[in-house]
Amino acid sequence: MNELDVISVNIWQIIISLANLVILYLIFRKFLFKPVKEIVAKRNSEVMAEYDKATKATNEANELKASWEEKMQTADDKADEIIKNAIEKADHRSEVLLYESREKAESIIRKAKAEAERDKLDAQATIKQEIVGVSAAISEKIIGREINMEDHRDLIDSFIDNMGDE
């Protein structure tokens, strides 16, 4: 054997090796690559579906959050309006009570003044009658004769009226 025979190139051996490689490629492609591609595609579609669900859920959550914030703002506005109305009603009620209190006080003052005026007039009439009686008695003693009551009253009334004018 020759040393060159060991290094020599055998064409049939290369053709058989290439044929084996092509056959292996076709077998792998049919039984391995296609199923793996299908599994990867299926997995990819599942991931995309989950991603879409997550996006949809996020959008719904954002819508619910916006709706909730709107409702909270509406509730805050209503609460502010209720408080404002309550304050206005309380202010109005206090004004009404104050007005009624002033009216009662003025009424009491008017009644007191009227009663005082009435008491004053009653006292003046009583004093007038007492003065008439006392002056009649004094006049009788001074003059020594009896003055009729009618003349005496006229005299006293004119005196008292003149005294009130001065």
Side-chain angles (χ1 to χ4, degrees), residues 148-161:
N148 77 9
M149 219 27 145
E150 189 67 34
D151 292 337
H152 184 63
R153 281 205 174 156
D154 290 339
L155 182 64
I156 297 290
D157 284 340
S158 71
F159 175 74
I160 290 175
D161 288 340

Side-chain angles (χ1 to χ4, degrees), residues 65-75 77:
K65 180 182 175 188
S67 173
W68 179 79
E69 287 175 350
E70 183 180 330
K71 286 179 182 178
M72 288 302 292
Q73 183 61 40
T74 303
D77 292 344

Side-chain angles (χ1 to χ4, degrees), residues 4-14:
L4 288 177
D5 284 338
V6 175
I7 299 183
S8 72
V9 177
N10 188 351
I11 293 246
W12 287 110
Q13 189 74 32
I14 291 175

